[in-house]
Amino acid sequence: MKTCAILTTGNEVKTGRIEDKFTPVLVKKLEGFGISVIYHELTGDGIEAVRDAIARARAQKPDMILCTGGMSVDPDDNTPGAIKASGADIVTYGATVLPGAMFLLGYFDDGTPIMGLPGCVMYAKATVFDLALPRIAAGVRMDKRDFVAMGEGGLCLGCESCRYPVCPFGK
């Protein structure tokens, strides 16, 4: 069975001002692939806080690490910088896929993938995360070319009667 660590970023979640609704959605998606969550932490904000939480998560030896909380282009979003500061080699920060254009994927030297998830993963049925997760769960190392190829078919049309994955999204 594969394992995962989830890091929920944001002071508003850590202090309880906003309820963490992201983690339950992720847990459900991961369960569909037989992936169990072995570590979860509310990190707060700041590059150092998130970077240190990534180190604590890595110490648990999960098969993958997921960072939630946004991944926006806002200058106050420290998650991408923290992932880079953690020592991960960034494969992509951005994908030609909607929803999910601000997705981040990196790998550590030992091959452990780390992903920064955009907020749309919490509410959209199909996102770039849903395209990448099956490959990553199967142990397939993704590279920049994989994400470039997603540009064709990379727009979810939000059909009223969604039939994902039986659709042109993410061919």
Side-chain angles (χ1 to χ4, degrees):
M1 175 177 275
K2 295 272 186 177
T3 60
C4 178
I6 298 175
L7 303 174
T8 305
T9 64
N11 284 333
E12 65 281 359
V13 178
K14 185 173 183 174
T15 61
R17 194 175 71 212
I18 294 177
E19 180 185 351
D20 177 12
K21 294 184 179 180
F22 210 140
T23 301
V25 170
L26 278 181
V27 168
K28 186 171 179 141
K29 283 184 186 252
L30 293 167
E31 284 173 349
F33 289 91
I35 301 169
S36 64
V37 177
I38 60 167
Y39 184 79
H40 178 238
E41 181 177 338
L42 304 177
T43 70
D45 286 322
I47 289 176
E48 295 80 14
V50 178
R51 179 203 62 210
D52 294 349
I54 292 169
R56 289 188 292 276
R58 286 191 73 202
Q60 305 302 310
K61 306 264 188 244
D63 293 308
M64 67 184 70
I65 300 171
L66 304 177
C67 298
T68 73
M71 297 299 298
S72 68
V73 293
D74 295 333
D76 65 344
D77 185 354
N78 295 301
T79 306
I83 292 172
K84 186 170 177 69
S86 73
D89 178 35
I90 307 301
V91 170
T92 190
Y93 177 29
T96 53
V97 177
L98 287 175
M102 298 310 294
F103 177 82
L104 184 148
L105 173 65
Y107 290 93
F108 291 102
D109 289 342
D110 64 1
T112 303
I114 183 166
M115 290 167 263
L117 304 180
C120 63
V121 172
M122 179 172 52
Y123 61 83
K125 180 169 175 51
T127 70
V128 67
F129 178 62
D130 298 288
L131 300 175
L133 181 60
R135 296 184 204 182
I136 292 168
V140 175
R141 187 179 177 106
M142 297 184 74
D143 63 27
K144 187 71 169 181
R145 290 177 304 224
D146 294 312
F147 291 94
V148 169
M150 289 180 188
E152 181 181 350
L155 175 63
C156 176
L157 299 176
C159 302
E160 192 171 314
S161 58
C162 179
R163 298 180 337 131
Y164 178 80
V166 182
C167 72
F169 176 61
K171 9 176 169 170

